[in-house]
Amino acid sequence: MTNSTQTMIQNPILPGFNPDPSIVAVGDDFYIATSTFEWYPGVQIHHSKDLKNWRLLSRPLNREALLDLRGEPDSCGVWAPCLSYHDGLFYLIYTDVKRFDGNFKDAHNYLTTCDTIDGEWSDPIYMNSSGFDPSLFHDDDGKKWFVNMVWDHRHQKNRFGGILLQEYCPVKKQLVGEIKNIFAGSKLACTEAPHLYKRNGYYYLITAEGGTFYTHAMTVARSRNIDGPYELDPYGYLLTAKDNQHLGLQRTGHGDLFETPNGETYLVHLCGRPLLGERRCPLGRETGLQKTYWTEDDWLRVENAVTDGLPEMLVPAPNMPEHPWPATKHKHDFDTPELPIEFQWLRTPNPERLFSLSARPGYMRLIGRESIGSLYEHALVARRQQAFAYSAQTAMEFSPTNFQQTAGLICYYNSNKFHYCYVSIDDEGNRFVDVMSCLGNQDLTLTFGLREGHTDGFITDPRFLLPNQGPVYLRADVDHHLLTFSFSVDEKHWTKLPINLDYTIISDEAGGGDGCHFTGGFVGMACQDVSGQQCKADFDYFEYIEC
């Protein structure tokens, strides 16, 4: 039971878009790898020494040889990495999903290694393409085993066709031997995210089931032999909120087990926090932590649970000294040659075509490329939303010469779901600020300004004219369900744009587009030039403050 004086850890431990966690403990260091989908560089790795305080350390898939996402649909790209460590080497398994909609999945699985967690990772080794959510298990007899869910595209078949097992040969650097389907899953179905472990002569197979939305769960099965047969945990699901939708942590599943140096057992898991009164999670799928224990008959349970484990918001900390990290900066002035680690861009391994931190020292210069819905070259640099309420502000110098050139401040989920406070120019040469939103369908992108007398319930005031030269200051204020934009030309006197925007569009659950959605809310800077003239927008700073 929890001691009332014990230090507690607040969930989620990785707030904001940080799904599908895989964790490895190396000495007294803990590293979590999470999915990044279409965002570049690929895979986020966070580091902790106490499980309570975490810092973003690296993104290893940072060059074209390892990852090229150009042309990949929203919510494709890097799915469910698996991070492990053995004999002085870090192993990272990841999937690059090229297609989501339809019966087929083009999902290619790779392995890369590195001596250090934040070093240069090796060129990838191709593993297979039979499914996604791959994982690598290092057995105590020296063998290595690769597992992944198998995708069955056939008519009237269960798309989630079970868990495949095959041996990996580190000498040949390829999978070898027979492929076996070792686990069909439970009645909850949608069996994915396999991880293997070994304890007291049993092989334990942890999977996620029920789909990644509100019926998600973690399932445990075990066998005396690695290739089965596997028996299901008779106590029920290791972790789920599917029958308790009043809990603050929902969508709990897809996780990984580990031990601290003191032998305490925990698991990390995917979770989501829906807005009050909504089943929408603007922060996306996050990473949570739960303490666990082993029963006398060698089954794993979440602390304080006998049957189905429920996710707790507060979790007992391990018996380790606290190790806080320096606070992250709220404001970046772009006065260093490297992009601050909080920021990412979309899809391309060639960021020099999208932005520069050296073209104008002290500024980030965005180079207008393709449209805001492009799957190839879209000049958008953004950071994750990590709280339900925040304010983001930037200063921009931008002199468009035609209506096809835009730049500004954007709240972005994907190419079908965004709110964009942008600057452009009209046919009379007047520079203006306006709002553009896409509410789940690219065919229904709405530009709200200059629509006097319309009756769609948005706004009846025209767009605001700006001086034709000089900086423009833009601010986004998010308060749970609500987003408002403001602008200034002197950073002292602000004008709120007279429209209250539905911020819940920035969520997995909001409809629109093809397929499901798996990422989360971002806020950042963008520039487009669909005339092909590559206009430039210079951003002096970017500030993000949680409220």
Side-chain angles (χ1 to χ4, degrees), residues 228-541:
Y230 281 84
E231 62 171 323
L232 278 168
D233 183 349
Y235 293 99
Y237 299 105
L238 176 58
L239 183 72
T240 187
K242 68 184 180 67
D243 300 317
N244 294 271
Q245 298 198 5
H246 64 283
L247 297 176
L249 292 180
Q250 291 293 317
R251 306 172 62 179
T252 52
H254 197 131
D256 199 2
L257 313 179
F258 67 102
E259 285 190 358
T260 70
N262 300 319
E264 298 171 276
T265 60
Y266 287 83
L267 64 84
V268 290
H269 62 90
L270 179 154
C271 60
R273 291 179 290 164
L275 291 165
L276 185 63
E278 298 271 359
R279 296 188 77 182
R280 293 186 173 184
C281 302
L283 280 77
R285 299 177 304 150
E286 306 171 284
T287 288
L289 177 79
Q290 304 296 327
K291 201 171 193 310
T292 59
Y293 70 96
W294 290 97
T295 65
E296 291 183 358
D297 54 351
D298 284 326
W299 289 105
L300 188 70
R301 304 258 44 89
V302 170
E303 189 175 71
N304 300 324
V306 177
T307 56
D308 293 349
L310 301 180
E312 300 283 353
M313 275 290 195
L314 293 174
V315 176
N319 184 23
M320 302 176 74
E322 283 203 36
H323 193 289
W325 303 105
T328 56
K329 293 174 64 175
H330 295 302
K331 185 177 182 180
H332 292 283
D333 293 308
F334 304 125
D335 52 5
T336 60
E338 299 296 328
L339 185 69
I341 195 170
E342 292 93 336
F343 292 92
Q344 286 182 277
W345 61 94
L346 288 165
R347 293 184 174 86
T348 178
N350 305 127
E352 68 279 0
R353 289 180 51 83
L354 305 182
F355 64 88
S356 171
L357 290 158
S358 60
R360 184 181 177 187
Y363 289 78
M364 168 144 60
R365 171 165 290 175
L366 293 189
I367 306 163
R369 295 288 178 183
E370 295 175 346
S371 70
I372 201 167
S374 172
L375 305 182
Y376 292 87
E377 287 191 310
H378 176 198
L380 186 156
V381 177
R383 56 150 297 150
R384 281 159 177 74
Q385 172 189 357
Q386 293 183 283
F388 286 114
Y390 72 86
S391 178
Q393 183 174 314
T394 190
M396 177 182 73
E397 294 185 23
F398 178 56
S399 299
T401 60
N402 67 67
F403 74 95
Q404 293 180 307
Q405 299 173 345
T406 56
L409 177 65
I410 190 166
C411 296
Y412 184 90
Y413 182 89
N414 65 18
S415 64
N416 291 294
K417 296 186 283 190
F418 59 81
H419 295 298
Y420 185 18
C421 182
Y422 71 97
V423 172
S424 190
I425 195 169
D426 63 25
D427 291 339
E428 286 71 44
N430 299 306
R431 197 168 63 140
F432 63 85
V433 60
D434 201 350
V435 175
M436 179 191 304
S437 290
C438 192
L439 309 181
N441 187 329
Q442 285 184 341
D443 295 330
L444 294 177
T445 300
L446 301 171
T447 301
F448 292 119
L450 285 183
R451 292 167 61 102
E452 296 182 72
H454 67 80
T455 59
D456 59 10
F458 291 110
I459 177 175
T460 57
D461 291 333
R463 58 182 50 153
F464 285 81
L465 297 182
L466 298 169
N468 279 344
Q469 298 295 327
V472 181
Y473 303 88
L474 303 173
R475 188 177 70 221
D477 293 297
V478 170
D479 186 0
H480 294 77
H481 304 71
L482 178 67
L483 163 65
T484 58
F485 285 117
S486 303
F487 76 95
S488 173
V489 294
D490 60 8
E491 207 175 13
K492 297 178 182 178
H493 305 92
W494 289 84
T495 299
K496 176 182 173 295
L497 295 177
I499 177 170
N500 295 326
L501 295 161
D502 178 7
Y503 194 73
T504 70
I505 291 299
I506 311 296
S507 67
D508 295 351
E509 297 92 338
D514 295 324
C516 295
H517 308 132
F518 304 131
T519 56
F522 280 72
V523 59
M525 301 148 286
C527 181
Q528 296 81 34
D529 188 348
V530 295
S531 73
Q533 298 177 54
Q534 300 174 23
C535 68
K536 312 297 190 296
D538 291 342
F539 293 84
D540 186 19
Y541 66 82

